[in-house]
Amino acid sequence: MLLKTILNRVQRHRLFVYGAIRLLEGLGGQVISIEVEIRPRANSRPTCSGCDRLGPGYDTLPPRRFEFVPLWGIPVFFLYAMRRVDCLSCGVRVECVPWAEGKNHLTTTYTWFLARWAKRMSWKEVAEAFRTTWENVFRSVEMAVLWGRERMDLEGIKAIGIDEVQWQRGHKYLTLAYQIDAHHKRLLWIGRERKVKTLMSFFRWLGRERTAAIQFVCSDMWRPYLKVIAKKAGQAIHVLDRFHVMSHFNKAIDKVRASEARALKAKGHKPILKRSRWLLLKRPENLTQEQEVGLALILRHNLRSVRSYLLREDFQGFWDYVSPSWAGKFLDRWCTRALRSRIDPIKKVARMLRKHRALLLNWFRAKGQISAGAVEGLNLKVKLTTRKAFGFRTYRAIEIALYHTLGALPEPITTHRFC
Ligand SMILES: [Zn+2]
């Protein structure tokens, strides 16, 4: 079977035909690339790149190479001499061709090919696997993201989650807005920093009508977020996300443990708290058998770390309530106990919970209607993507990578899928 036959099956163009196909060899006889000539179909007229209308030909430019999907590890190029159109409304313009956009030297098919692989592997790996540059992979992903963002469907968003993630050393944050409806979870929007104006620009992007249709908002206790949500989506039930609430506990326990371990060491005690960090931070059901034994040993001591740990484990009961009023009573009792604990980081958490009592109890009003683990799950994926992205130094790259992996963006429908 001729290569041309296959090409005509997987990618046929109405106004163009495939011509001669050549194998380019190096000095030692090794195969370097495959070149496929393309010609306009007989008597066909070029399409103006300015207005998309057919027009009379003006002249023909020297041939250009467009990279196509490699075959058996051999790079494939289309070879085509672009014509210029003498357009009635635009003047003399270069024609547009169906296999590539503008000045891009990669064919659109190859661009989507690279972008699809970039969902499965890091950009660096894609570049290595297909012997192309990191830059080419990045541009391809960027094209896929721009294409998808222009066509994303924003109808029917009822629940959103606002999250923040650190992306560089030195307290640099991103604000992320997710859709967390049961049937549709995805990253909607990314903003630089986590200020009032950051989240304001999200709501501006979403638009007034769609914002008014939101029924549930999930967020952290970060004050700028609370402020903007109250102002912009006051009609929605605002829930404090369980995952974020519990992460405050973990930060507190970590602080208590670290300072206590230091104090014990200074007094020359046995290093009971050595290697205890994860024993205390992980939920007991997630511990390995060995860790369980380790935890049991620590729990025998009357340490501040242990008391903090037990207070957190007690608090987990809060989330199991059904009625907001009973949950409220539980919360008040817990806060009273925590405030008497004489452990400052835990007292701080208790004061924070007390201050946001109403928002915490909203959890029970929204129960069953939003997917509780959604924010946590998406947050985890965001962290994985940013970690995988050692190559990303710029905000633009991280933004593109996150939209690409988590945006659930639409893709064009093609007759043949190359990967
Ligand atoms: Zn034109």
Side-chain angles (χ1 to χ4, degrees), residues 343-362:
I343 306 170
D344 283 333
I346 292 291
K347 281 162 75 179
K348 206 175 136 201
V349 172
R351 275 194 295 270
M352 188 173 61
L353 296 180
R354 214 176 229 186
K355 194 170 146 203
H356 298 105
R357 191 178 188 274
L359 292 182
L360 275 165
L361 293 178
N362 273 349

Side-chain angles (χ1 to χ4, degrees), residues 172-232:
K172 283 208 173 176
Y173 287 89
L174 302 175
T175 294
L176 305 154
Y178 312 118
Q179 178 176 7
I180 53 168
D181 286 296
H183 64 283
H184 209 172
K185 294 181 197 68
R186 59 175 165 165
L187 173 65
L188 288 175
W189 186 88
I190 308 169
R192 231 170 159 151
E193 306 193 270
R194 48 170 186 171
K195 298 178 176 164
V196 164
K197 71 167 190 224
T198 321
L199 196 53
M200 289 293 267
S201 30
F202 161 67
F203 284 111
R204 209 172 310 128
W205 171 84
L206 191 64
R208 195 169 299 169
E209 247 172 75
R210 288 189 209 101
T211 301
I214 294 173
Q215 295 172 4
F216 301 100
V217 183
C218 236
S219 82
D220 187 11
M221 285 171 266
W222 181 242
R223 193 169 311 147
Y225 291 167
L226 300 184
K227 221 164 111 181
V228 176
I229 293 166
K231 185 174 169 194
K232 287 289 175 182

Side-chain angles (χ1 to χ4, degrees), residues 60-106:
T60 304
L61 303 172
R64 265 177 65 183
R65 275 153 66 98
F66 299 88
E67 192 162 2
F68 192 63
V69 180
L71 179 69
W72 298 330
I74 311 167
V76 176
F77 294 92
F78 287 168
L79 214 65
Y80 179 71
M82 302 283 265
R83 292 167 290 176
R84 286 199 296 177
V85 195
D86 192 6
C87 178
L88 274 174
S89 34
C90 313
V92 175
R93 284 281 191 128
V94 179
E95 69 174 321
C96 63
V97 290
W99 59 84
E101 302 257 340
K103 292 203 168 103
N104 202 341
H105 60 277
L106 304 183

Side-chain angles (χ1 to χ4, degrees), residues 312-331:
R312 182 199 67 185
E313 280 311 296
D314 272 354
F315 188 81
Q316 296 285 4
F318 173 75
W319 307 104
D320 298 329
Y321 276 90
V322 174
S323 123
S325 66
W326 283 106
K329 286 191 182 104
F330 175 92
L331 179 65

